[in-house]
Amino acid sequence: PEPVPLSFNKAQPLYHQGICFFSGLQGLPINKAAARTYFEAASQLGNPDSDFFLAQLYCDEEKDAEKGFPYLLKASEGGHL
């Protein structure tokens, strides 16, 4: 099997921390600004799941589809289902 790219290994913990802040998991308070910070870092490392959540934050939370749509497209192109 192909080795997992190093950037993916670094992106996953950032993505999961974003999920914890986004949903209030692991005893963390819901904090969408903190979630966005972690999702943006993971997105820069190529994590399409983070792109999806960034799109959701921009489109649903901030009502800014202009900012959200590029992330949705990136998520789709990256394999997020």
Side-chain angles (χ1 to χ4, degrees):
E2 293 286 322
V4 176
L6 184 57
S7 62
F8 180 82
N9 289 333
K10 291 182 178 182
Q12 281 300 99
L14 294 168
Y15 165 72
H16 286 291
Q17 190 67 31
I19 289 293
C20 289
F21 277 115
F22 184 86
S23 302
L25 301 176
Q26 301 293 325
L28 293 173
I30 292 175
N31 184 332
K32 302 296 172 117
R36 184 184 317 111
T37 298
Y38 283 99
F39 290 145
E40 285 173 348
S43 173
Q44 290 175 0
L45 293 171
N47 184 282
D49 297 323
S50 291
D51 295 323
F52 175 79
F53 277 94
L54 283 167
Q56 186 175 354
L57 281 169
Y58 282 118
C59 292
D60 294 343
E61 300 290 328
E62 297 182 17
K63 308 297 184 212
D64 191 344
E66 204 170 310
K67 282 186 180 177
F69 184 74
Y71 284 107
L72 191 59
L73 185 60
K74 188 177 170 188
S76 175
E77 290 171 349
H80 180 84
L81 301 177

